[in-house]
């Protein structure tokens, strides 16, 4: 199971409160990425994991507003699959990509459901996930790691960030507190 009902409802509430910003915020970030206009903070976040995307099939788990996927497309990815749990965020992502005239054949959005039973996904050259797994319970992360192992091409790369810091030290997975 990739996402339980309680976590899904929690994320839907956060997205309703503009966790990723308004559509205008998402569009502006995506314009900056697409047109290579960055301040230092944005560039650091986008390049938290430096990846070579040229000619690769990329999975972006927890795509949010889509700026990593957009950067991968800009850098020559063959195709980017953008996985997200919230349909409103996917709608805003797609809307911003269309406004930027990103070619439709370069990306596909994937709505993450409880079991992620999506047919006809390719094997991926690169799997990327930033700041997603720290929000999930261990058993959910374990499901994702197994999915990645099954869907990553031999010799492919997985770039995953999943940690948070608290007064108790560093935890690798969601600890039941919203302190991140």
């Amino acid at each position: 199971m990739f996402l339980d009902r309680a976590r899904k409802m929690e994320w839907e509430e956060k997205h309703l409160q503009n966790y990723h910003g308004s559509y205008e915020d998402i569009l502006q970030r995506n314009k900056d990425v697409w047109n290579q206009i960055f301040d230092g903070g944005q560039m650091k976040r986008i390049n938290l994991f430096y990846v070579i995307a040229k000619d690769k099939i990329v999975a972006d788990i927890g795509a949010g507003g889509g700026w990593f996927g957009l950067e991968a497309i800009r850098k020559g990815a063959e195709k980017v699959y953008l996985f997200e749990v919230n349909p409103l965020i996917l709608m805003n992502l797609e809307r911003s990509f269309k406004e930027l005239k990103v070619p439709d054949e370069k990306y596909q959005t994937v709505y993450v459901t409880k079991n992620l039973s999506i047919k006809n996904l390719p094997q991926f050259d690169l799997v990327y996930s930033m700041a997603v797994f720290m929000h999930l319970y261990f058993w959910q992360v374990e499901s994702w790691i197994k999915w990645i192992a099954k869907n990553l091409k031999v010799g492919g790369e997985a770039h995953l960030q999943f940690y948070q810091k608290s007064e108790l030290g560093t935890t690798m997975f969601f600890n039941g507190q919203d302190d991140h």
Side-chain angles (χ1 to χ4, degrees):
M1 183 185 309
F2 293 91
L3 189 66
D4 67 287
R5 182 173 161 79
R7 300 302 289 162
K8 181 164 179 44
M9 288 174 59
E10 179 183 330
W11 274 102
E12 286 178 357
E13 180 64 29
K14 285 184 181 201
H15 287 125
L16 287 173
Q17 295 171 8
N18 287 328
Y19 179 81
H20 288 283
S22 65
Y23 170 71
E24 291 74 22
D25 296 330
I26 290 169
L27 177 61
Q28 187 58 56
R29 278 194 306 269
N30 286 346
K31 280 182 180 179
D32 291 348
V33 169
W34 195 241
N35 297 313
Q36 301 180 50
I37 303 167
F38 305 104
D39 67 29
Q42 285 176 314
M43 190 57 147
K44 276 180 105 171
R45 289 186 75 184
I46 290 170
N47 289 311
L48 182 61
F49 300 113
Y50 179 76
V51 298
I52 298 170
K54 185 163 178 50
D55 300 323
K56 293 186 178 176
I57 298 174
V58 177
D60 181 3
I61 299 171
W67 40 271
F68 173 79
L70 194 60
E71 176 71 355
I73 293 167
R74 196 186 63 71
K75 288 183 173 180
E78 179 180 324
K79 188 163 186 171
V80 176
Y81 291 78
L82 301 132
F83 293 77
E84 183 54 59
V85 300
N86 186 275
L88 176 62
I89 294 299
L90 284 176
M91 182 183 73
N92 286 337
L93 181 156
E94 289 172 341
R95 185 174 157 202
S96 73
F97 278 30
K98 289 194 184 318
E99 189 162 331
L100 293 169
K101 298 180 176 37
V102 178
D104 290 343
E105 67 274 5
K106 297 302 266 181
Y107 69 95
Q108 179 177 326
T109 57
V110 180
Y111 178 53
V112 176
T113 60
K114 178 180 175 182
N115 294 314
L116 196 65
S117 58
I118 295 142
K119 306 286 187 228
N120 302 320
L121 286 176
Q123 291 288 114
F124 296 99
D125 299 296
L126 173 64
V127 176
Y128 179 90
S129 183
M130 183 177 85
V132 172
F133 296 143
M134 65 190 195
H135 299 291
L136 302 177
Y137 294 109
F138 173 79
W139 57 269
Q140 291 167 321
V141 175
E142 182 180 34
S143 294
W144 276 108
I145 299 294
K146 287 177 181 177
W147 182 90
I148 291 166
K150 179 181 171 189
N151 290 283
L152 189 63
K153 287 182 181 177
V154 173
E157 299 176 37
H159 295 262
L160 313 173
Q161 176 205 33
F162 49 102
Y163 71 91
Q164 70 183 39
K165 296 201 181 264
S166 73
E167 66 279 352
L168 301 174
T170 300
T171 58
M172 297 306 288
F173 304 102
F174 180 68
N175 64 6
Q177 299 175 8
D178 193 13
D179 59 357
H180 44 276

